Amino acid sequence: SHEEYVLGIGNDLARDWDTLINAWEVTFPKLKIITSKRLSTTKKNIEIIKGNWRENLLTDKQIRKLYGSACFTIIPLKETIQPSGQSACLQAMACKKTVIMSDIIGKWDSSMLIHKKNIYLVKPTSISSLNEAIKDLIKNKRLNKIIAKNGKVMVDNFYHKEIMAQNLISIFERAL
């Protein structure tokens, strides 16, 4: 019996867990939030899991399994010019999961991240925008599959470690 759930994950200061919790309805599947932040909710279909990469509270294998079994992943962000949510987003996409993410000014790659093609973008701090996106992906399984597939293709083609390493090398070479 495999449990249906949606995954929220991350520890950085820009994570907007309040908006996500407020957008979550009782009719939705379970929401698992993995964070080191102290969160609480009375909603029965929200589970808060203590996770901190530095303390290794969850192994990489456990985290990969959580991504892999989720219906989709949500990265709610407060408006910021700082890039935020990149690691979690790429990890989810690498596990072939659709990502709902706040469309912040500091989005780490505006040219690559295309709404409803390889990511689902929502208005930052908007409970209604996030709620609509969640409903859309729960209802529209086909859209969820397409976005997940395109996200995986994007990661495989542009963000795998060899390309990232090559990009770093060229940045260092330019700096020297």
Side-chain angles (χ1 to χ4, degrees):
S1 70
H2 131 105
E3 165 193 42
E4 262 216 339
Y5 66 89
V6 173
L7 185 66
I9 187 166
N11 290 322
D12 80 44
L13 295 171
R15 284 299 188 283
D16 186 7
W17 296 124
D18 292 341
T19 296
L20 177 54
I21 289 168
N22 287 322
W24 209 255
E25 295 183 10
V26 290
T27 56
F28 289 173
K30 177 178 260 188
L31 170 64
K32 294 185 179 190
I33 297 176
I34 302 172
T35 184
S36 60
K37 300 271 175 297
R38 294 178 90 87
L39 295 180
S40 64
T41 178
T42 54
K43 294 183 180 179
K44 298 277 174 264
N45 60 342
I46 299 179
E47 180 187 354
I48 294 153
I49 301 164
K50 194 99 171 107
N52 188 325
W53 182 76
R54 279 181 199 83
E55 293 168 29
N56 208 3
L57 298 177
L58 290 166
T59 65
D60 289 347
K61 205 180 221 151
Q62 287 172 306
I63 291 170
R64 196 166 41 245
K65 196 172 180 301
L66 282 161
Y67 277 122
S69 303
C71 302
F72 51 89
T73 301
I74 303 177
I75 303 170
L77 302 168
K78 296 172 188 143
E79 187 58 89
T80 172
I81 56 169
Q82 288 279 248
S84 183
Q86 180 177 4
S87 301
C89 184
L90 290 173
Q91 288 165 359
M93 287 175 166
C95 293
K96 207 172 176 182
K97 293 299 156 182
T98 294
V99 174
I100 294 177
M101 191 174 79
S102 309
D103 194 5
I104 58 167
I105 295 166
K107 191 165 69 235
W108 43 273
D109 198 336
S110 293
S111 63
M112 294 289 274
L113 300 172
I114 300 154
H115 179 56
K116 286 193 178 180
K117 181 182 187 266
N118 54 23
I119 195 165
Y120 200 119
L121 296 169
V122 294
K123 230 174 97 191
T125 68
S126 167
I127 294 168
S128 60
S129 176
L130 187 51
N131 177 274
E132 285 306 309
I134 295 160
K135 282 181 179 156
D136 195 10
L137 284 184
I138 289 170
K139 267 201 316 267
N140 195 339
K141 303 261 188 266
R142 195 173 160 273
L143 178 65
N144 188 0
K145 271 202 174 74
I146 290 166
I147 296 173
K149 190 174 131 279
N150 290 336
K152 173 89 169 98
V153 167
M154 182 189 79
V155 169
D156 290 349
N157 289 334
F158 298 99
Y159 290 99
H160 60 74
K161 61 180 183 273
E162 285 77 18
I163 289 172
M164 300 292 266
Q166 200 45 60
N167 290 345
L168 273 178
I169 291 166
S170 48
I171 289 168
F172 289 134
E173 284 171 346
R174 281 200 305 274
L176 292 174

